[in-house]
Amino acid sequence: MKDLIFFIKRIFLKRWILVLGMLLIIFLANYLTFTASRSLISTYQGNQENKILDQDGLFISNLDPDVEQNFDAITIEETQKVYDYLESHYEYAIDTYGFVADIPNTEDMEVSVRYINEQAYDLRDIKLSEGKQITFQDLNTVKPVLIGAGLAKEYPVGSVIEMIDPVTHQPTKLKVNGILEKNASRSNIYALNSKNYLNYSIYSPIDEEFIKQSSLDLHVNALNDLILLNSSEKEVNHLKDLIQSTTGLTFNFFSQKENDKFFKDYYMNGLQIISMLTLICFIIATGLAIWNTLISIRLMIKDFTVHLLVGLSYPRLRSILYQYFGIVFFISFSLLTIFVSVNRYSAWYRKDAIFATLGILKLIGMDWMALIIVLLIDMIMGIFIVEFMMRKIKKIPISLGVLT
Amino acid sequence: MKELIQLNIRHKLFNKGTLSILNNFQLSVLSGDKIAVMGESGVGKTSLLNILGLIDSDYEGEYTLFQDEAKSLTSKQRAVIRNKNIGFVLQENSLIDSLSIEENIKLPLLYTNEPNKKEIEEHFQLITHKMDIEPLLAKKPLECSGGQRSRAAIARAILMKPDIILADEPTASLDEKNKLRVLELLDDINENYGSTIITVTHDRSVADHHDRIIEMERED
């Protein structure tokens, strides 16, 4: 231990700029690896989650990005006509979000209400940590709801939440039927690596009656996320025309296969480019780390040599180098963990319910998985650097090393 | 006097086997010997010291040190012998610039398992006093003269009271006065500690201070 401390204090830190340089390079390599790994894990999770949408006769609406839409001209009477038609002719699923309710909680978080109808609820496999799934029978008096894990302490199963409903603007009583799993999330259909977290959300069931009482916001929002079930191309096109003629809004309806194709064509392509760039950056970072190591050896060769002459052995030197780089990698890894954690905490500072996560340091499963990947790559990189260093040191004739 | 070193080298290869040095080189050294090794550059003097100092084991032949075959020693065992039994005196720039003179001299203590560190500390006091290094202990090598640095390098080499001192051009960059002082110190170590001294030098006057001179020649 004393030789390790001596090496760190009296040899490595004497060239602190090299240590700092190495630390920055390793941090850069770690950050790139982490970002790419987490993005891939998140994409995989999103893909798994949305596989359920890959069904015959299922079409998902999407506001046509190529058409200029005039939302100001839409009236609630028009949108209601669309919902009346939907109700009588189609099987449709609504799972819409973006509505903020004023529900007191210790974290003072803005609570997000997600409105879901029975078809969407049946489509999704919503997992609970406590309580029971909701039913859609009687939604008129006290509505049964599911709440995020972040609200569970204040609103346990069976408790009643009173709020002004953000879409009907009426006082509403919600009965907590179940608690969602910690860090439950919903992935974006078009960007599978993007997620909304439900820790401070409420799943509120809706039916035809509720839609009738709702504001225009819900009507338009729900059309954006509308899913048609057991429909034909003809029915879909008919609805598309109806919405356009009634509200003036132009929607496209795609199957999940088509959405996947879009994802693969655009997003996945981008992701592959990012992954390639990450790999290239990682190789450059590793190259820089080796270059830095070579400079270190050149500058410290006299020190190493003198130590070898007075009793340091190569196995001991290897052990010291492993411990030293272990410390450097640990610092970099800790900085990365802190960085990711601060990033997660920022959602809490912003009181942003959609991105607020729960867990140690607010890190969630995919963060830890990506950190483990970073750790494994660090180990490989560390072994490579130390063995490379040892090879270089061993190649240098000792007495010559001292003299240069 | 007992035999310390028995060296019988068939050859040492360099440049991927295209250059062979120390061909059929034999050397027998007794405890307390004072030997100078001379020869032109490239003849293998420093290579010989590297082999004797257990730094290099990549050669054809046998090397018996303290009754043990050097090649059978592990890297750790070789390091322990270098720490306890061999002192290296190199040119005056063999001190680590970032360490003080005291830290440089005490460097072998970092790797010793010697239980009696108090005795070594007393020895440190004695040699630094005797070699007139005491006023320099807190200084960095670059704050000292060439002669002072040479004395500090010798102090480091003898701190552990080694059986063998291997000196590689110890006076190469010193003026006449300091050269004589270094040679006196090596004589003193030889007499008082009974250390065997093997010095590589180009300087005939330095070689003449030794009991035996080995002239190495290149084989064409």
Side-chain angles (χ1 to χ4, degrees):
Chain A
M1 194 60 170
K2 64 178 180 180
D3 46 4
L4 172 69
I5 294 166
F6 186 90
F7 259 75
I8 291 172
K9 278 171 66 179
R10 310 312 303 267
I11 296 187
F12 296 122
L13 288 181
K14 284 285 166 189
R15 276 95 182 182
W16 62 269
I17 195 81
L18 289 176
V19 178
L20 191 67
M22 180 66 95
L23 195 60
L24 284 173
I25 290 165
I26 292 170
F27 181 77
L28 176 71
N30 280 352
Y31 180 73
L32 290 171
T33 311
F34 176 83
T35 309
S37 305
R38 191 171 67 172
S39 194
L40 288 171
I41 294 166
S42 188
T43 304
Y44 174 77
Q45 288 175 344
N47 194 37
Q48 291 296 105
E49 182 190 322
N50 286 311
K51 262 186 180 168
I52 193 80
L53 301 177
D54 191 4
Q55 298 177 11
D56 286 338
L58 186 148
F59 295 89
I60 303 156
S61 71
N62 185 26
L63 206 59
D64 193 332
D66 300 328
V67 175
E68 202 174 318
Q69 317 277 2
N70 184 6
F71 290 95
D72 295 337
I74 310 165
T75 66
I76 196 155
E77 288 76 21
E78 290 166 353
T79 52
Q80 188 55 54
K81 266 187 203 167
V82 174
Y83 281 99
D84 289 341
Y85 192 79
L86 269 171
E87 195 60 41
S88 54
H89 294 85
Y90 293 86
E91 201 181 327
Y92 67 99
I94 289 176
D95 182 358
T96 189
Y97 65 97
F99 305 96
V100 175
D102 186 17
I103 296 173
N105 59 84
T106 47
E107 298 297 337
D108 202 22
M109 200 67 87
E110 285 186 336
V111 176
S112 168
V113 182
R114 285 186 85 103
Y115 294 98
I116 189 164
N117 75 352
E118 194 166 3
Q119 285 77 9
Y121 194 78
D122 291 342
L123 196 63
R124 296 288 185 183
D125 179 23
I126 297 174
K127 292 195 169 70
L128 305 181
S129 60
E130 297 176 55
K132 290 187 291 189
Q133 299 286 350
I134 47 178
T135 56
F136 289 74
Q137 262 71 58
D138 181 18
L139 305 180
N140 294 325
T141 49
V142 180
K143 270 172 111 181
V145 293
L146 302 178
I147 62 166
L151 296 167
K153 263 191 189 167
E154 286 154 294
Y155 302 103
V157 173
S159 62
V160 173
I161 302 170
E162 290 185 25
M163 68 165 191
I164 302 293
D165 191 287
V167 297
T168 62
H169 307 297
Q170 298 299 313
T172 313
K173 284 186 177 175
L174 311 172
K175 187 182 175 203
V176 179
N177 238 46
I179 312 291
L180 298 169
E181 280 186 341
K182 198 163 94 173
N183 295 320
S185 63
R186 182 63 65 230
S187 299
N188 188 313
I189 293 170
Y190 309 103
L192 294 175
N193 72 331
S194 170
K195 288 178 169 56
N196 286 340
Y197 293 94
L198 308 175
N199 292 316
Y200 285 88
S201 290
I202 291 178
Y203 255 125
S204 179
I206 58 170
D207 55 9
E208 186 190 357
E209 204 51 44
F210 183 87
I211 293 171
K212 277 183 183 160
Q213 294 164 18
S214 302
S215 64
L216 186 63
D217 291 345
L218 180 115
H219 282 202
V220 175
N221 254 23
L223 283 179
N224 278 321
D225 304 316
L226 190 72
I227 295 175
L228 296 179
L229 303 160
N230 303 316
S231 297
S232 64
E233 291 266 4
K234 196 179 159 193
E235 287 170 321
V236 167
N237 285 331
H238 182 69
L239 180 68
K240 187 179 163 181
D241 293 342
L242 180 96
I243 297 173
Q244 193 166 30
S245 60
T246 315
T247 66
L249 297 176
T250 309
F251 281 92
N252 292 317
F253 284 84
F254 296 114
S255 66
Q256 187 58 15
K257 267 198 180 69
E258 287 168 311
N259 281 336
D260 269 352
K261 191 177 174 311
F262 165 83
F263 179 73
K264 276 177 189 138
D265 286 351
Y266 294 91
Y267 195 78
M268 204 63 185
N269 228 342
L271 205 66
Q272 277 168 358
I273 291 166
I274 290 168
S275 299
M276 277 305 291
L277 283 175
T278 301
L279 185 70
I280 291 166
C281 288
F282 183 79
I283 290 167
I284 291 170
T286 308
L288 283 172
I290 289 167
W291 178 70
N292 191 304
T293 303
L294 282 173
I295 292 176
S296 303
I297 293 171
R298 208 167 297 156
L299 288 173
M300 298 175 192
I301 192 63
K302 182 173 159 183
D303 301 29
F304 286 135
T305 306
V306 172
H307 279 266
L308 285 163
L309 290 177
V310 299
L312 173 66
S313 65
Y314 284 120
R316 185 71 200 128
L317 178 60
R318 177 180 271 116
S319 162
I320 288 171
L321 290 176
Y322 269 116
Q323 289 175 70
Y324 166 69
F325 278 101
I327 293 168
V328 173
F329 275 102
F330 176 76
I331 292 170
S332 168
F333 185 79
S334 302
L335 286 175
L336 178 69
T337 309
I338 292 166
F339 184 80
V340 178
S341 176
V342 166
N343 202 266
R344 289 286 186 205
Y345 267 104
S346 66
W348 290 75
Y349 298 133
R350 294 194 311 267
K351 303 294 173 198
D352 188 344
I354 298 292
F355 294 105
T357 51
L358 299 170
I360 300 165
L361 302 171
K362 304 294 179 210
L363 301 184
I364 59 172
M366 67 174 170
D367 296 330
W368 292 113
M369 279 164 78
L371 285 172
I372 287 169
I373 291 170
V374 169
L375 203 63
L376 290 174
I377 288 177
D378 275 359
M379 282 166 75
I380 293 167
M381 198 170 160
I383 290 169
F384 185 74
I385 290 173
V386 172
E387 291 306 320
F388 180 81
M389 232 171 152
M390 284 304 297
R391 221 176 128 90
K392 283 281 167 193
I393 291 170
K394 277 185 169 180
K395 271 188 177 174
I396 295 165
I398 288 181
S399 50
L400 189 68
V402 171
L403 295 174
T404 50
Chain B
M1 288 198 286
K2 59 178 180 179
E3 190 173 62
L4 272 190
I5 291 170
Q6 184 59 52
L7 188 67
N8 181 11
I9 295 188
R10 283 183 280 287
H11 59 253
K12 164 143 185 79
L13 298 176
F14 276 106
N15 292 346
K16 294 178 180 171
T18 56
L19 178 67
S20 173
I21 57 163
L22 298 173
N23 297 314
N24 297 314
F25 184 87
Q26 292 179 345
L27 177 66
S28 179
V29 181
L30 299 177
S31 170
D33 270 358
K34 226 167 66 167
I35 300 169
V37 180
M38 294 193 76
E40 59 185 282
S41 294
V43 80
K45 301 187 299 293
T46 303
S47 295
L48 174 67
L49 281 196
N50 284 342
I51 293 169
L52 293 174
L54 299 175
I55 293 160
D56 185 359
S57 55
D58 185 19
Y59 54 85
E60 273 298 314
E62 295 82 39
Y63 171 29
T64 310
L65 175 67
F66 307 124
Q67 318 292 322
D68 290 321
E69 172 50 46
K71 281 189 175 175
S72 68
L73 298 169
T74 64
S75 180
K76 274 186 185 172
Q77 287 170 323
R78 282 200 288 268
V80 170
I81 293 173
R82 281 202 301 274
N83 177 260
K84 257 181 94 173
N85 306 100
I86 301 174
F88 290 87
V89 179
L90 302 166
Q91 290 181 25
E92 39 108 357
N93 64 351
S94 70
L95 300 175
I96 296 175
D97 298 334
S98 58
L99 302 182
S100 68
I101 293 293
E102 180 174 355
E103 286 168 327
N104 265 291
I105 296 171
K106 285 184 172 175
L107 210 55
L109 284 177
L110 200 61
Y111 302 105
T112 188
N113 292 321
E114 197 65 57
N116 204 348
K117 286 193 179 168
K118 199 182 161 201
E119 194 185 301
I120 298 172
E121 183 61 40
E122 282 169 7
H123 187 228
F124 168 79
Q125 304 290 346
L126 181 77
I127 55 175
T128 49
H129 176 72
K130 213 169 164 182
M131 295 168 87
D132 200 16
I133 299 174
E134 276 170 325
L136 312 172
L137 290 176
K139 288 187 176 177
K140 294 283 168 67
L142 294 176
E143 295 167 331
C144 302
S145 68
Q148 289 170 331
R149 289 201 292 265
S150 281
R151 295 206 303 276
I154 293 172
R156 184 178 66 197
I158 63 169
L159 180 72
M160 307 299 284
K161 298 182 186 169
D163 299 297
I164 303 166
I165 299 277
L166 298 175
D168 189 6
E169 303 282 5
T171 58
S173 55
L174 299 180
D175 58 29
E176 201 58 32
K177 189 182 151 200
N178 277 304
K179 186 169 93 178
L180 284 173
R181 194 154 183 198
V182 166
L183 291 173
E184 278 168 20
L185 279 169
L186 290 174
D187 285 344
D188 189 51
I189 294 159
N190 177 250
E191 278 165 28
N192 292 323
Y193 300 117
S195 299
T196 300
I197 293 174
I198 301 173
T199 307
V200 161
T201 183
H202 278 100
D203 190 333
R204 174 59 64 181
S205 64
V206 171
D208 287 342
H209 259 81
H210 296 71
D211 302 331
R212 189 151 55 119
I213 299 173
I214 297 169
E215 298 268 6
M216 291 174 72
E217 286 175 2
R218 194 190 299 275
E219 276 184 23
D220 294 320

